[in-house]
Amino acid sequence: MKNKELIVKFAPVARKNLNKTFFTLFIIVILESLCSALFVGTSLLLNSMQDSFAVTFFSYALMFCGVFFWFLILSGFATMLLRMARDEFVTIGFLFYGFRRFKQFAPAAFLYTLLTGISAAVVAGTMYFITKSNPDFIVNLQSKFGENAFLYLLIVFSFILVFLLIFPQVFLFFLKYDNPSRSVFSLAFLSSKLLFKNIFKFIGFVFMAGGRNLILAAFYFGITLSFSAAQKGGVIQFFSLIFDFLYFINFYKALSLMSLAVPFFYENLRQPAVEIVVSLKKNDDEILLENNNPDKNNPDGQ
């Protein structure tokens, strides 16, 4: 099925569930901010207070636990979205579904956490190697491309790693929900296979699902950047706040629709539409076969 046809089918699902998805995203931001403050914040605080192997190990373990709980919350969100795509009953309580079904979703959350840790380690190791082998690398980069050049390079490199390691597992929570008894590694392989087999169609559909809100968010973001570059005045600051608000609303609406589009696409892969066309008019070959059938009027062959 083409993306345009999928979007038509997706429209009623989006209209019905946009507000619920939008509200749930706010709850997730709050929960994961608290999780970050508890685990990641404590980890960074311990690292800054004392420098020893035991403290460093414990702080990284805390950070690992924090990321693990992030993904466990996201497993509940994935379950909610999948049930919405299937037009099944959902409440905000499904956000904690991963904790209720810990044995089912913990392996998938652990795999996501492990891949995140590997990505962070590769980024940190690569940057450490570059700065040690060429101490003037960052200075030269900033002198040629601006003060934020190293940060931009770090973001691009991290994005590539996330795309290669984590993005292929975009269907993993859905697959684990549907196949609780199967191993996480077999489902991770299946998720990668489903994604790379349909990668361009998937990316196109998700961006099409963001639609008008995604375009407006990009437009308002550009305006806010132009306001931030201008001199701050009373009128400019007032309009900057308005466009910031418009960007925020449209961005979260687009993010809600794009999040909901992922399980909808998965459902289309899991249960593809099959069109059966039955012709009531016999073609020439069928008539010819019937006329040449010696047993047509003598079914017993006598």
Side-chain angles (χ1 to χ4, degrees):
M1 187 178 292
K2 295 181 179 179
N3 279 348
K4 288 184 179 179
E5 296 172 348
L6 273 179
I7 286 293
V8 173
K9 289 181 63 179
F10 176 68
V13 177
R15 282 194 298 268
K16 183 177 180 180
N17 297 289
L18 176 59
N19 291 334
K20 286 184 280 189
T21 309
F22 189 86
F23 175 73
T24 306
L25 277 174
F26 279 110
I27 301 298
I28 288 175
V29 169
I30 294 170
L31 288 175
E32 297 206 338
S33 297
L34 292 173
C35 188
S36 298
L38 181 63
F39 289 96
V40 181
T42 305
S43 171
L44 294 174
L45 181 64
L46 285 173
N47 258 333
S48 64
M49 290 175 61
Q50 189 176 354
D51 188 13
S52 67
F53 176 78
V55 171
T56 302
F57 177 81
F58 183 67
S59 64
Y60 278 113
L62 275 176
M63 194 175 295
F64 188 90
C65 290
V67 177
F68 173 78
F69 279 109
W70 284 353
F71 284 113
L72 209 55
I73 293 170
L74 289 178
S75 71
F77 183 52
T79 301
M80 285 186 68
L81 293 174
L82 183 60
R83 292 178 67 88
M84 287 177 187
R86 293 175 177 175
D87 198 22
E88 296 176 353
F89 174 76
V90 292
T91 65
I92 196 65
F94 276 97
L95 198 55
F96 304 99
Y97 193 79
F99 294 91
R100 289 166 50 197
R101 300 291 180 91
F102 185 82
K103 289 184 179 180
Q104 180 178 346
F105 287 100
F110 182 84
L111 180 60
Y112 274 118
T113 307
L114 186 63
L115 292 174
T116 303
I118 291 172
S119 300
V122 170
V123 171
T126 303
M127 295 306 167
Y128 177 81
F129 175 77
I130 290 173
T131 52
K132 282 295 181 181
S133 60
N134 186 5
D136 297 327
F137 173 75
I138 297 177
V139 177
N140 294 333
L141 192 69
Q142 290 175 337
S143 64
K144 290 181 180 179
F145 301 102
E147 294 182 359
N148 296 323
F150 184 71
L151 177 62
Y152 294 149
L153 179 64
L154 200 64
I155 291 172
V156 171
F157 187 51
S158 301
F159 179 80
I160 293 171
L161 273 178
V162 167
F163 181 82
L164 293 175
L165 294 178
I166 300 175
F167 184 59
Q169 309 310 321
V170 69
F171 302 127
L172 181 58
F173 283 139
F174 308 138
L175 289 166
K176 194 62 180 171
Y177 177 80
D178 286 332
N179 306 274
S181 60
R182 286 188 60 175
S183 71
V184 70
F185 295 107
S186 66
L187 294 177
F189 175 78
L190 181 56
S191 176
S192 302
K193 182 179 177 181
L194 286 174
L195 177 69
F196 288 120
K197 191 176 179 180
N198 304 276
I199 186 166
F200 296 111
K201 185 178 179 181
F202 172 74
I203 293 173
F205 175 70
V206 170
F207 276 98
M208 285 176 68
R212 173 175 168 270
N213 294 111
L214 186 62
I215 295 171
L216 287 174
F219 173 71
Y220 291 134
F221 180 71
I223 293 177
T224 55
L225 286 179
S226 64
F227 277 133
S228 63
Q231 292 183 351
K232 291 291 183 181
V235 177
I236 291 178
Q237 194 166 9
F238 172 74
F239 281 107
S240 178
L241 289 173
I242 291 176
F243 284 109
D244 278 338
F245 177 75
L246 291 173
Y247 160 72
F248 178 80
I249 294 296
N250 281 279
F251 173 76
Y252 268 91
K253 279 188 176 182
L255 186 60
S256 300
L257 292 169
M258 293 166 77
S259 299
L260 192 57
V262 177
F264 187 86
F265 190 87
Y266 163 77
E267 273 295 281
N268 182 70
L269 293 179
R270 194 179 70 91
Q271 295 179 341
V274 179
E275 295 182 2
I276 302 175
V277 180
V278 179
S279 175
L280 298 179
K281 185 178 179 181
K282 297 178 181 179
N283 58 38
D284 294 337
D285 291 337
E286 290 173 328
I287 295 171
L288 182 62
L289 285 171
E290 286 188 356
N291 290 335
N292 291 333
N293 184 2
D295 296 330
K296 177 185 175 185
N297 297 318
N298 189 4
D300 293 330
Q302 297 176 352

